Amino acid sequence: MKNKAKNSAKKAIFLMLVLVIFPGFSNIYAQSASQRAPIDVNLIIDGSDSLTDVKDEVTAWVFNRLDQILVEGDRVTVWNAGPSARIIYTGRMEGDAKETAKRSIREMTTSGNNPDFYGALTEASARQSSSFSYTLLISASPAALSSVISNPQGNLIRFSRIEEFSEWRALVVGLNLDSRVRSAASAFFRNQ
């Protein structure tokens, strides 16, 4: 009987997770600018020397992705996750802001072997100002994500979708979803 209750609870939590995550992502791609509120877009790019050989491929892919998702009013922050994470662009998408953001990515420099993804993710999590954020992390370092995963704050990338490329990967990270999933699960169980 306990296993059946546990399985039911797990299914309910999974259902809540699906309901919380997927409607948000579909809204980004399916709605026009006039139909959705502005969102926070965080772009965290591996600033280590590992990016050097794939920078052109990564840049082209990122620019295409930004063209697909950004609408006027979105707030965009771009991090160079080098030896220490630093913001290289932040601003609202108005006028030629998208081209300015792209230029900051194109002109990004690389150094060192250990990108500071943890610092960038932590700061992105704290800076969220809208009800929804889209966080895209680009990693070209084979072992770079292990420091985030093994850190006590590994929950920063718990809800992620990974897209693998030949020498790099793109992660869509669900920042701050932990509390939303807990709230949704709690509300679900209260109503049962």
Side-chain angles (χ1 to χ4, degrees):
M1 193 69 159
K2 281 187 178 182
N3 281 341
K4 190 173 183 179
K6 264 187 178 176
N7 286 340
S8 293
K10 284 181 183 179
K11 287 178 184 177
I13 291 172
F14 177 75
L15 177 64
M16 288 299 126
L17 178 62
V18 168
L19 293 174
V20 168
I21 292 175
F22 291 113
F25 286 130
S26 66
N27 287 341
I28 288 177
Y29 295 108
Q31 295 180 351
S32 70
S34 63
Q35 294 176 324
R36 74 161 170 86
I39 61 170
D40 293 332
V41 176
N42 301 298
L43 178 57
I44 301 169
I45 302 175
D46 187 334
S48 73
D49 288 333
S50 297
L51 182 71
T52 305
D53 292 339
V54 294
K55 186 175 181 187
D56 291 339
E57 180 184 350
V58 167
T59 302
W61 186 88
V62 166
F63 288 178
N64 183 48
R65 184 57 54 105
L66 292 178
D67 288 340
Q68 291 173 356
I69 64 170
L70 292 180
V71 298
E72 190 160 321
D74 286 347
R75 182 173 160 243
V76 176
T77 305
V78 180
W79 277 267
N80 177 340
S84 65
R86 64 184 176 86
I87 294 173
I88 58 173
Y89 175 82
T90 190
R92 289 224 178 267
M93 291 296 102
E94 299 167 341
D96 66 346
K98 189 186 294 185
E99 292 308 313
T100 305
K102 288 179 178 181
R103 185 173 46 253
S104 72
I105 295 166
R106 203 177 300 110
E107 295 172 354
M108 191 177 101
T109 58
T110 61
S111 66
N113 296 321
N114 300 313
D116 182 18
F117 291 134
Y118 174 72
L121 286 165
T122 302
E123 189 174 342
S125 178
R127 293 171 59 101
Q128 186 173 343
S129 64
S130 68
S131 62
F132 184 79
S133 71
Y134 177 83
T135 301
L136 181 62
L137 185 146
I138 305 295
S139 174
S141 308
L145 295 174
S146 65
S147 65
V148 176
I149 294 168
S150 64
N151 192 297
Q153 299 299 323
N155 64 340
L156 290 171
I157 61 171
R158 179 179 298 155
F159 303 106
S160 299
R161 182 179 67 87
I162 301 173
E163 191 170 342
E164 293 278 340
F165 297 90
S166 61
E167 297 183 51
W168 59 281
R169 61 217 44 78
L171 288 81
V172 176
V173 180
L175 285 180
N176 299 325
L177 285 182
D178 220 9
S179 60
R180 288 183 182 179
V181 170
R182 286 185 185 144
S183 294
S186 176
F188 176 79
F189 285 119
R190 275 195 309 268
N191 292 327
Q192 291 302 317

